[in-house]
Amino acid sequence: KKAAKDSMDKDTYHYSLTNPQIDGTRLYGSTLKLNNQQITRLSCHDKEAMWFLLMASYGDIYGTVLSVVSMIGLFLYLLTSSDSGSLIIDTLASNGDNEPPVSQRIFWAMVEGACATSLLAAGGESALVAIQTASIVAAFPYTLILNILCVSIYVALTKDARIAEGGENYEDPAFSIGLLDFVTTWQPRLMKETLKNIFLGPYNCGKCLARINGNDHAFVWQITLSIFLIGLPVFYAIEIQFGIPGSSSIAWTCYLGFVFYVTGARVLLRIACKIPGNLIADFIICLFLWPTVIVQMTEHIAGGALNIVNKSPDHDSLDSRLDKGSVDSELDNIAKVYAGFGTQNNDDSKV
């Protein structure tokens, strides 16, 4: 069937379309002429020719100019890519020298070209496809690492800014335990709680949300979170068992809904305890490590963090307890101290 389709695409056939609006239109191979406009089907051509056929659709003059410009652009792209790769390899081979010799960089560029040529000569187009697929698969983990590095740089810069304002001894408020303490410090209790939250995560997260919001209706959160988390395996099983299309999409929607709820709980707890952070980092952490996130929130709340925050007076409540007279008297005393500062000539006097 595929051979017959390719043959029909590449051969020239004439069809008369019976639609009255486009009567007399003819299909020539892969080109449809409609009202003096030309629509070209590119899928029946080789991949290497598709781009130049697209450029040729702009006419003889513009098509030729665009083809030449695209060839120059492709050449410069390959040249700069090879130069960047050669510089990286040469820097690594020179033990971290940022300015390696040019001749050595040319050598590595020639080695790269020789390797690519030998692979193409040995395997042909299939080898090229395999190399492209391998490069994409190998680069995917680095995409995640780069995202984590971006968030880490943002966190480090904001922390440096707070230290610059608060002094060298300033320490940011933090959770009572880390996300990976059950591994790094090897605490069996935390390991047990993490494994339990794989199944009881909605129950414990619902309790945390109720404590954060200051109400006793934890069952509402627990039921909602349970529905979202159970929806992941249930809808996947429906698609596998009954073949209902789209069930897997609903399954992942349920999982993302659960992750959004856990992220919201973490954000609310951070705000209540004045712990620095950002929404994107919280979402990424909850997407992959939601059992440990729930353990972290549970331990932090169990340590009395919310009680300390709720009992400590904030700025507004402190000002509300100070009347105008007491404030004025204190300001007068401070003014007198500053007015008398440095007025005494006795070196033994204490200020």
Side-chain angles (χ1 to χ4, degrees):
K1 290 181 179 179
K2 184 178 184 302
K5 179 180 178 300
D6 294 339
S7 177
M8 291 178 66
D9 285 337
K10 293 183 179 180
D11 294 340
T12 302
Y13 291 89
H14 300 277
Y15 297 97
S16 294
L17 302 181
T18 59
N19 193 312
Q21 297 179 356
I22 52 174
D23 188 25
T25 304
R26 290 184 175 183
L27 182 67
Y28 298 95
S30 61
T31 302
L32 176 66
K33 292 184 177 180
L34 179 61
N35 297 330
N36 295 325
Q37 299 294 324
Q38 182 169 304
I39 302 174
T40 303
R41 181 179 178 182
L42 301 177
S43 60
C44 58
H45 298 280
D46 296 332
K47 291 186 294 184
E48 292 79 6
M50 288 182 183
W51 174 256
F52 297 100
L53 289 173
L54 178 63
M55 296 297 102
S57 65
Y58 290 94
D60 295 335
I61 299 177
Y62 291 112
T64 303
V65 173
L66 290 174
S67 298
V68 173
V69 171
S70 63
M71 284 294 296
I72 296 174
L74 288 172
F75 176 75
L76 293 176
Y77 167 73
L78 294 174
L79 184 64
T80 53
S81 300
S82 177
D83 182 67
S84 301
S86 303
L87 177 61
I88 293 173
I89 296 175
D90 196 8
T91 302
L92 295 174
S94 302
N95 199 21
D97 186 7
N98 293 327
E99 296 293 336
V102 178
S103 58
Q104 191 169 313
R105 192 190 305 181
I106 295 174
F107 166 76
W108 285 113
M110 295 179 65
V111 170
E112 292 174 6
C115 291
T117 304
S118 60
L119 289 172
L120 290 175
E125 185 177 357
S126 59
L128 179 61
V129 174
I131 294 172
Q132 292 173 344
T133 305
S135 62
I136 294 173
V137 172
F140 179 73
Y142 290 97
T143 304
L144 301 177
I145 294 174
L146 287 175
N147 291 331
I148 296 173
L149 285 175
C150 291
V151 176
S152 301
I153 292 173
Y154 169 77
V155 171
L157 291 176
T158 53
K159 185 175 182 179
D160 287 344
R162 289 191 295 269
I163 292 175
E165 294 177 358
E168 296 182 356
N169 296 326
Y170 174 80
E171 293 185 2
D172 285 328
F175 287 101
S176 56
I177 63 171
L179 287 171
L180 300 178
D181 278 359
F182 70 99
V183 175
T184 56
T185 60
W186 188 247
Q187 300 184 34
R189 185 182 65 84
L190 294 179
M191 176 71 74
K192 181 181 177 181
E193 292 296 326
T194 303
L195 295 177
K196 284 171 57 179
N197 276 304
I198 296 177
F199 305 98
L200 300 178
Y203 175 78
N204 292 325
C205 187
K207 289 173 60 178
C208 293
L209 281 168
R211 289 289 306 276
I212 295 170
N213 288 278
N215 57 58
D216 299 328
H217 304 294
F219 67 92
V220 177
W221 305 105
Q222 292 166 350
I223 293 174
T224 304
L225 290 167
S226 299
I227 292 174
F228 277 126
L229 186 59
I230 294 174
L232 177 64
V234 168
F235 282 103
Y236 251 114
I238 290 174
E239 180 165 348
I240 295 172
Q241 186 68 26
F242 302 102
I244 299 177
S247 298
S248 59
S249 300
I250 300 176
W252 284 110
T253 302
C254 291
Y255 179 72
L256 289 177
F258 174 77
V259 171
F260 282 134
Y261 267 98
V262 179
T263 304
R266 180 181 170 86
V267 171
L268 291 175
L269 183 59
R270 280 198 306 99
I271 294 174
C273 299
K274 297 180 174 58
I275 299 175
N278 61 85
L279 180 62
I280 297 176
D282 290 334
F283 175 75
I284 295 174
I285 291 170
C286 295
L287 185 63
F288 299 102
L289 299 174
W290 58 265
T292 59
V293 170
I294 296 175
V295 173
Q296 186 185 59
M297 292 190 299
T298 303
E299 293 291 325
H300 195 66
I301 293 174
L306 291 178
N307 296 332
I308 296 174
V309 171
N310 293 333
K311 291 181 180 179
S312 61
D314 56 8
H315 186 271
D316 296 333
S317 62
L318 183 62
D319 287 344
S320 64
R321 292 196 299 268
L322 294 175
D323 58 345
K324 188 176 184 301
S326 61
V327 172
D328 291 339
S329 62
E330 289 295 330
L331 289 176
D332 292 337
N333 293 332
I334 294 173
K336 292 177 181 179
V337 171
Y338 277 103
F341 180 77
T343 59
Q344 300 179 7
N345 295 325
N346 187 5
D347 296 335
D348 296 332
S349 63
K350 296 181 180 180
V351 179

